Amino acid sequence: MYSKKLDAKVKLWHHNSQGLFDYSAKDFQEYTLKWRGDAFLTKSNNRIQNQPSLPRAPIAKLKANDLALYPGHLFASLFQDLWLVARSFTNGYRLAPGDIVRLGAQAFKVKQICTDKPTNKGFSLTDLLVFQEPSGETSQFHSLPCRVCLSESYSSLNPLISPCNCKGSMKYIHLKCLQQSIKSRVHSTDYSLAFMFKNLSCELCSKQYSSKFYLNGELKDLLEIKNLPQPYIVLESLSCKEQGLYIASFCTKSILSLGRSHQSEVIIKDPSVSRNHAKLVYKGQGIYLKDNKSKYGTTILVKRPISLKQNSHLEFQSENSTIEFKASRFVNLLPSCLRQPVAREPKSPSLPLFPVNEGICLSTDDLDLLVREAQGELLNTSLNFCQDSIQNFEAVNL
């Protein structure tokens, strides 16, 4: 009789710094976990372990019969994050809106992806920041001047506004002068723009500017970027210190480098990010993320079930440990009468399994969206089915 088993090769790096793993280190401890049947992965005494019962803070649940991995948040409110290592894929991991990726300690959410064919050959993103004064309009005059250009004239398209707590001669500023001041704080290259939210504040009184304003009865953005050249990707920084948006365009180049170096097309200023950390590759109808042998790696957050059947030798990271799974079959020669009885859980529908690297986001909690985007037999799975499955799993394991 053939049965399925799962093996896991675990590497433990003893220097736990910000939940990172040094992929260039050689002083890590290596050991193997082997089990048959279902088990929970957890971390105890700085070691990855497998337990048959539900721990308080699971990393994931492994179902040997289905050869599937279920992230810990499906079974407990307190769980440990599990990250898929991008270097597991030779051709890179295909990104999708909703994915949360991490370069070193810096996490980003994929806000938007546009993969239409390039329409602006020879275009540079720095062209979007060119400032033009409105013309052909009658100007009026104010008692106090603009604190930037010192002009007392204003118009309906370029009014004098008081956006912060500054008083006296520093109270007013032209709308266009304010926009130009903010645009000057945008980090830009020919292929990317990096805009940090903290730049939406006054340099004098530090009050945060409103991101939107009313102009002639219409609600407009303070920093407006129009006609973004396609294809492009928008990444939102999730860092507590520096939140903002990174916009990268593939209108003239199909491969963009991400890193700390000034030669990178997308510059990320963080010590945990390597000088040439990773690459964004536009290919066909997708944008792929490839690690470039970085020190602290490139990972994608796992928040939905993954099939290990067709994705062998996948590597995952949990804080300062990496886990590489391998599924196999072994022959059980004992007759059924001599085998030890195995406690069976009540039958319940299984959660739908999603393949990796197919443009289906790894880190969304919207199961309905996943179901609609999935292919084949998963296309007919409903949101109610997924929610009932989660409740059944929790009821069984609590």
Side-chain angles (χ1 to χ4, degrees):
M1 177 180 177
Y2 286 98
S3 298
K4 299 173 183 176
K5 68 174 182 177
L6 283 169
D7 298 343
K9 183 171 69 175
V10 181
K11 295 179 181 178
L12 171 63
W13 186 51
H14 291 281
H15 308 279
N16 192 356
S17 175
Q18 301 182 48
L20 300 176
F21 181 87
D22 188 351
Y23 288 86
S24 63
K26 298 181 180 179
D27 58 339
F28 55 80
Q29 179 185 355
E30 188 173 348
Y31 58 95
T32 302
L33 297 176
K34 296 184 178 182
W35 64 91
R36 176 190 172 191
D38 300 346
F40 286 94
L41 281 183
T42 185
K43 197 165 191 177
S44 177
N45 298 325
N46 204 28
R47 284 177 63 91
I48 301 292
Q49 299 176 354
N50 55 328
Q51 298 182 8
S53 59
L54 177 65
R56 182 180 181 185
I59 299 174
K61 181 174 183 179
L62 292 161
K63 294 180 69 67
N65 290 334
D66 298 333
L67 295 180
L69 178 146
Y70 295 79
H73 78 285
L74 296 178
F75 304 95
S77 57
L78 297 176
F79 64 95
Q80 301 179 43
D81 288 338
L82 185 67
W83 300 81
L84 176 62
V85 179
R87 64 179 65 191
S88 297
F89 303 96
T90 304
N91 298 321
Y93 171 79
R94 184 178 177 182
L95 294 170
D99 274 336
I100 297 177
V101 301
R102 191 172 65 177
L103 281 69
Q106 292 297 304
F108 302 88
K109 181 177 182 179
V110 180
K111 293 282 289 184
Q112 186 180 3
I113 290 180
C114 177
T115 56
D116 294 340
K117 293 182 179 180
T119 56
N120 299 279
K121 292 184 178 180
F123 186 86
S124 172
L125 277 181
T126 53
D127 295 340
L128 294 173
L129 301 178
V130 175
F131 175 70
Q132 295 180 350
E133 285 279 1
S135 58
E137 189 177 21
T138 304
S139 297
Q140 304 179 52
F141 293 91
H142 194 269
S143 57
L144 290 176
C146 169
R147 68 188 186 203
V148 174
C149 67
L150 302 181
S151 172
E152 299 175 354
S153 63
Y154 67 95
S155 65
S156 60
L157 293 179
N158 190 26
L160 279 168
I161 59 175
S162 178
C164 59
N165 294 327
C166 292
K167 304 295 183 181
S169 60
M170 307 302 291
K171 181 176 182 179
Y172 293 100
I173 183 173
H174 283 118
L175 173 61
K176 296 297 180 182
C177 292
L178 176 59
Q179 290 176 328
Q180 178 64 11
S181 173
I182 293 176
K183 287 180 179 180
S184 66
R185 308 178 209 173
V186 176
H187 304 294
S188 63
T189 69
D190 288 342
Y191 306 97
S192 68
L193 298 174
F195 176 70
M196 299 299 109
F197 295 150
K198 70 178 183 180
N199 291 336
L200 278 175
S201 60
C202 177
E203 294 177 323
L204 301 177
C205 67
S206 300
K207 181 185 177 181
Q208 192 83 13
Y209 294 134
S210 175
S211 61
K212 295 182 180 294
F213 64 95
Y214 279 98
L215 180 62
N216 299 329
E218 295 183 4
L219 188 64
K220 295 184 177 294
D221 293 322
L222 180 59
L223 184 65
E224 208 170 19
I225 299 178
K226 296 181 179 180
N227 303 322
L228 191 65
Q230 303 170 354
Y232 62 85
I233 183 172
V234 180
L235 302 175
E236 178 185 1
S237 173
L238 302 180
S239 170
C240 297
K241 297 181 180 179
E242 205 169 44
Q243 294 180 318
L245 295 177
Y246 288 78
I247 304 171
S249 173
F250 300 87
C251 61
T252 58
K253 198 172 184 180
S254 60
I255 300 178
L256 302 180
S257 60
L258 300 89
R260 201 176 69 249
S261 171
H262 292 288
Q263 281 71 42
S264 299
E265 281 80 25
V266 182
I267 302 174
I268 303 174
K269 298 179 179 179
D270 187 88
S272 66
V273 177
S274 300
R275 294 179 60 82
N276 191 7
H277 194 104
K279 295 179 181 178
L280 290 172
V281 181
Y282 170 68
K283 182 170 56 177
Q285 294 299 315
I287 296 176
Y288 292 80
L289 177 66
K290 297 183 65 175
D291 184 74
N292 195 32
K293 297 181 180 179
S294 59
K295 180 178 179 65
Y296 293 117
T298 304
T299 54
I300 306 98
L301 185 62
V302 178
K303 282 211 169 186
R304 52 89 169 139
I306 295 178
S307 173
L308 301 176
K309 186 179 299 182
Q310 298 178 350
N311 301 285
S312 59
H313 302 289
L314 284 181
E315 189 175 8
F316 297 83
Q317 179 183 337
S318 176
E319 295 183 342
N320 61 332
S321 299
T322 63
I323 314 160
E324 183 179 350
F325 294 104
K326 182 180 178 181
S328 59
R329 296 194 303 174
F330 68 93
V331 181
N332 191 343
L333 299 177
L334 287 176
S336 58
C337 60
L338 298 179
R339 297 179 199 145
Q340 294 182 355
V342 179
R344 296 184 178 274
E345 296 177 351
K347 290 186 177 180
S348 60
S350 296
L351 284 171
L353 301 180
F354 295 90
V356 294
N357 206 26
E358 294 294 335
I360 303 173
C361 46
L362 265 176
S363 52
T364 182
D365 292 324
D366 189 352
L367 292 178
D368 184 39
L369 174 64
L370 289 175
V371 168
R372 285 189 276 107
E373 290 184 349
Q375 299 176 353
E377 67 276 5
L378 301 180
L379 191 61
N380 298 321
T381 309
S382 65
L383 175 61
N384 292 333
F385 179 82
C386 297
Q387 293 174 337
D388 292 343
S389 301
I390 294 176
Q391 294 173 359
N392 289 335
F393 274 119
E394 290 178 342
V396 167
N397 292 282
L398 289 179

